Amino acid sequence: EVQLVESGGGLVQPGGSLRLSCAASGFTFSTYWMSWVRQAPGKGLEWVANIKKDGSEKYYVDSVKGRFTISRDNAKKSLYLQMNSLRAEDTSVYYCATLHCTAASCSPTEYYFYHWGQGALVTVSS
Amino acid sequence: SYVLAQPPSVSVAPGKTARITCGGNNIGSKSVHWYQQKPGQAPVLVIYYDNDRPSGIPERFSGSNSGNTATLTISRVEAGDEADYYCHVWDSSSDHLFGTGTKVTVL
């Protein structure tokens, strides 16, 4: 059974830092792109970042560029999100998710989020 | 940047058909994926590549995509289908992008 378990959420002051972790099991972690997706309270879903299977490529939504860093440790089957210079508008539930492509040719448009974790709540407030 | 528009809410009686639209410029040229999210839970993929269903998703869920509108159709709606639904595409100007979400209420 595929499992993604996020941890590391909590309350942090504006300007502070937090590191989220996502522990994966039940699938070959190193063979999948991984993502972070967030959801502010009462709001919709927002993609945050992607990382390639081997960690060699990383992509971010504009609002977090320069502040957040996505990384992974394939030996530990873990995904991370280092969040610095946090702002009130970063308050959200953060989900880790697997990115899948089953098309004949896997261009970026062919990827979808398949397995999701249960989410970790990050609250940025003084 | 690319924008995906969904109606905020759709109401449907049990046993009837719900149609949720996702509007975007020439969205028919993109692959559209749909997610169901129940309160307090993580999203669940219900449709990918416009009209493919993951294993475990009932045949009552189907999708279409043409022109400027993609549609998620839920046939023979059940009380358990009550949830928020989001469409998702990838666009070169926005990377991964979700629609605004539609709350489906079963009357």
Side-chain angles (χ1 to χ4, degrees), chain A:
Chain A
E1 179 193 4
V2 171
Q3 278 200 320
L4 296 169
V5 180
E6 299 94 338
S7 60
L11 174 64
V12 61
Q13 292 188 339
S17 298
L18 211 57
R19 188 197 197 206
L20 299 182
S21 299
C22 172
S25 61
F27 66 104
T28 308
F29 181 74
S30 61
T31 62
Y32 288 95
W33 283 71
M34 295 294 296
S35 293
W36 289 98
V37 175
R38 67 183 179 183
Q39 185 171 36
K43 302 298 184 182
L45 300 171
E46 180 184 37
W47 166 76
V48 175
N50 284 351
I51 186 167
K52 195 175 180 179
K53 305 170 190 181
D54 61 0
S56 61
E57 294 181 29
K58 304 174 184 181
Y59 302 90
Y60 302 90
V61 67
D62 285 348
S63 59
V64 308
K65 284 180 182 175
R67 301 188 299 125
F68 289 13
T69 302
I70 188 172
S71 62
R72 65 191 296 163
D73 185 332
N74 285 343
K76 294 183 178 180
K77 299 181 183 180
S78 293
L79 176 71
Y80 307 101
L81 186 67
Q82 177 66 44
M83 303 182 291
N84 299 331
S85 303
L86 281 162
R87 306 166 179 167
E89 54 265 36
D90 295 318
T91 295
S92 291
V93 173
Y94 285 76
Y95 297 99
C96 66
T98 60
L99 266 174
H100 285 234
C101 173
T102 47
S105 175
C106 289
S107 63
T109 189
E110 304 301 335
Y111 282 86
Y112 51 90
F113 304 102
Y114 194 10
H115 299 293
W116 296 68
Q118 85 289 349
L121 176 61
V122 173
T123 302
V124 184
S125 175
S126 55

Side-chain angles (χ1 to χ4, degrees), chain B residues 32-71:
Chain B
V32 179
H33 322 294
W34 291 90
Y35 305 85
Q36 174 195 70
Q37 186 180 34
K38 297 181 179 179
Q41 297 184 21
V44 173
L45 179 73
V46 293
I47 290 288
Y48 62 103
Y49 297 154
D50 299 341
N51 193 26
D52 286 347
R53 276 177 295 103
S55 60
I57 300 301
E59 292 182 7
R60 301 184 297 103
F61 288 82
S62 63
S64 63
N65 184 19
S66 179
N68 294 319
T69 304
T71 303

